[in-house]
Amino acid sequence: MRHNHIAIWVTALLQVALGFLWYSPLAFLEPWAYGFGLDLTVMGEPDPVALIVVVLGAVVNCYVVSWLIRRMAITGVGGAVWLALWLWLGLGLPWLMPHYLFAKVGNSALIVDAAQLLVATSMTCLILALWRRKPRTIA
């Protein structure tokens, strides 16, 4: 089975959209900024290079998750949720937490980022496991 490239690119864009919403004033910008000691009144526009890195990172992430789903033959909700939890617990949190703890970043930023990582990972695994490619038919 090949990658579903449309599902991968749509999911990558959804990851980026989730990030924009998650870190917006409508959601968790204030507790996140507080945890980093940032002043919202002086924060400028995001760096365009950072935005490019976010999009490219999302695409790479989705291809890797798609590959894992294929290799593990995950086809249902249960398998997708388990994969998301294991990726979050086994990769995401162990890499995220030490940086925040050593840098003495506030707990609010860690909680906001860890929760966003769990939601994004779950969304990615669910979409890529459940969005099936249409089989090719020979006409």
Side-chain angles (χ1 to χ4, degrees), residues 46 74 107 119:
I74 295 171
N107 288 338
V119 171

Side-chain angles (χ1 to χ4, degrees), residues 65-110:
V65 170
S66 174
W67 180 83
L68 280 171
I69 288 168
R70 287 179 37 234
R71 295 287 296 171
M72 297 173 73
I74 295 171
T75 58
V77 171
V81 169
W82 274 112
L83 177 60
L85 287 173
W86 282 114
L87 289 173
W88 184 70
L89 284 171
L91 294 175
L93 285 182
W95 286 339
L96 187 68
M97 290 178 67
H99 293 284
Y100 285 70
L101 296 173
F102 280 114
K104 298 186 184 339
V105 173
N107 288 338
S108 63
L110 174 59

Side-chain angles (χ1 to χ4, degrees), residues 5 15 37 48-49 54 80 83 91 93 100 122-123 128 135 139:
H5 299 287
Q15 281 186 8
V49 173
V54 166
L83 177 60
L91 294 175
L93 285 182
Y100 285 70
S122 299
M123 174 189 74
L128 295 179

